[in-house]
Amino acid sequence: MPSAMRKSTTTSLPQRLAAAAVALGSCLALAVPAGTATAAPADPVPTVFFGDSYTANFGIAPVKDHDSERGWCFQTTKNYPAVATQRLADKNITLDVQADVSCGGALIHHFWQEQELPFGAGKVPAQQDALKDNTRLVVGGMGGNTLGFTSILKQCSDELRKHPLLPGEPVDPDKPAGECKDFFESEDAKAWLDYQFQQVEGDLEQILMRMSYFAPDAERVLVGYPRLVPEDTTRCLTAAPGQTELPFADIPKDALPLLDQVQKRLDDVMKKAAADDGADFVDLYDRTGNNTACDGANRGIGGLLETSKLDLFGQPIPWYGHPNDKGRDIQAKYVAAKIETVLNR
């Protein structure tokens, strides 16, 4: 069994939920379910945005709080929460944004635990600290980092293994990147994926539960991830206009369907977690099949090694498969529509 797999110790879902109950206190059972608005309120809606790099919109400039440690979250001033808020304001629906605590690299457990920033830059508080008794709307997405999606990408790419800014290590660094399809079809790799998804499921249950506890009157909207790989993977064999690298760099063509299957499974897990806990879900995967990283001028995802709008110490930073401006606007469109529906029901 690969060394990276041996490091994991499985914790059962009942154990995690029991631990959460202890952490939240005996009043947890009395937590009030998320309230239901009967109409879009005339007054501003106290709102908190949370999430990882797909909510922070890593790769889009300028970076918010660039002169403080929070700058290492790579949250842009024009991320989808900001754009969605403006879209809603244009319809006379005003969000009183109490905080946007989305941060690149965040795992689900960073909702309730502080997060260490890269290169020893410091720490940011648990994202749940932004919730208040009067918060009425909580919106954002997490899951990909807990799943270890960047580890999967690095398992399949020699080029990405050279990039320290991209968090995570290959699942098994001793296995060649060119053999990643065979690797992920092995029993050990399947067991690793099953464990990672079990972790995501349990952590999503806890995050939704904590939202209800700390913001008992809030509507909760969990936002999924846009699709990265198209159904027709031959589209990934052509570089985007003006680019020299393929959208998925040196990842073997036979591994691309695997990446898509993993992402679809994550989308299904997130959708089920929201449904099971009475939260709303924004399904971006099903709406972005024509805006993947392989869709040329229509791509909503920047290629793995395509230069983003950011640089670090004078060196350009790749998109690493994150939404570009077009993709950000797609995120904002569907998130704003869901918020409008939630506030009007």
Side-chain angles (χ1 to χ4, degrees):
M1 180 177 290
S3 59
M5 300 177 191
R6 289 198 298 268
K7 295 178 183 177
S8 299
T9 301
T10 302
T11 302
S12 69
L13 179 56
Q15 285 175 308
R16 289 197 299 273
L17 294 180
V22 171
L24 296 180
S26 58
C27 292
L28 181 61
L30 302 178
V32 180
T36 301
T38 56
D43 295 330
V45 181
T47 302
V48 169
F49 290 101
F50 72 96
D52 58 23
S53 58
Y54 275 72
T55 307
N57 281 119
F58 167 88
I60 297 176
V63 169
K64 187 178 180 182
D65 300 319
H66 64 88
D67 56 350
S68 73
E69 61 186 16
R70 281 205 64 89
W72 288 94
C73 286
F74 295 103
Q75 182 192 122
T76 176
T77 59
K78 290 294 186 181
N79 61 348
Y80 81 69
V83 177
T85 297
Q86 184 58 56
R87 288 180 68 100
L88 290 166
D90 293 342
K91 293 187 172 185
N92 295 318
I93 300 173
T94 304
L95 302 185
D96 172 17
V97 180
Q98 296 174 312
D100 179 350
V101 289
S102 58
C103 189
L107 283 72
I108 302 173
H109 70 247
H110 289 131
F111 190 79
W112 60 87
Q113 295 178 16
E114 64 182 9
Q115 177 184 349
E116 284 198 34
L117 297 170
F119 305 111
K123 299 179 180 180
V124 290
Q127 297 192 18
Q128 72 179 18
D129 292 357
L131 300 179
K132 302 180 184 302
D133 287 343
N134 70 334
T135 301
R136 298 299 301 274
L137 183 66
V138 186
V139 183
M142 287 176 162
N145 292 322
T146 297
L147 175 63
F149 199 76
T150 57
S151 292
I152 296 170
L153 290 174
K154 286 189 174 184
Q155 187 63 41
C156 299
S157 170
D158 283 319
E159 286 297 321
L160 289 181
R161 294 187 189 193
K162 304 174 186 175
H163 287 248
L165 185 62
L166 188 65
E169 297 295 330
V171 180
D172 185 350
D174 294 330
K175 298 292 185 181
E179 298 176 7
C180 68
K181 179 178 181 293
D182 290 340
F183 171 78
F184 280 109
E185 289 177 348
S186 70
E187 291 305 314
D188 279 351
K190 289 178 180 178
W192 180 84
L193 271 174
D194 287 344
Y195 171 79
Q196 296 300 108
F197 275 110
Q198 182 187 33
Q199 190 71 43
V200 170
E201 290 171 9
D203 285 357
L204 284 174
E205 288 180 13
Q206 184 166 168
I207 198 176
L208 291 166
M209 179 172 59
R210 284 172 174 271
M211 289 176 190
S212 290
Y213 181 76
F214 289 106
D217 294 324
E219 298 282 0
R220 299 160 300 157
V221 179
L222 185 63
V223 181
Y225 293 91
R227 190 169 183 175
L228 302 181
V229 181
E231 183 176 0
D232 179 9
T233 57
T234 61
R235 284 150 54 185
C236 301
L237 302 181
T238 303
Q243 300 298 313
T244 57
E245 293 277 0
L246 294 179
F248 287 96
D250 61 333
I251 293 180
K253 180 179 181 294
D254 64 0
L256 294 177
L258 163 76
L259 299 182
D260 189 49
Q261 291 162 17
V262 171
Q263 192 186 7
K264 180 63 169 68
R265 183 176 175 183
L266 176 61
D267 185 73
D268 290 342
V269 165
M270 296 179 73
K271 187 186 307 183
K272 183 177 186 300
D276 288 349
D277 209 80
D280 287 274
F281 182 65
V282 179
D283 194 336
L284 293 173
Y285 176 92
D286 283 346
R287 294 183 168 106
T288 51
N290 293 318
N291 302 106
T292 71
C294 303
D295 282 299
N298 291 322
R299 68 194 183 284
I301 302 294
L304 290 183
L305 299 182
E306 180 182 347
T307 301
S308 75
K309 297 188 174 182
L310 301 181
D311 64 72
L312 184 64
F313 307 128
Q315 295 297 315
I317 301 176
W319 283 106
Y320 293 136
H322 284 79
N324 54 24
D325 291 59
K326 180 187 289 287
R328 182 271 319 276
D329 290 345
I330 294 172
Q331 289 174 293
K333 172 184 175 181
Y334 289 111
V335 168
K338 176 63 70 174
I339 290 174
E340 183 175 5
T341 298
V342 166
L343 295 180
N344 277 293
R345 68 186 176 203

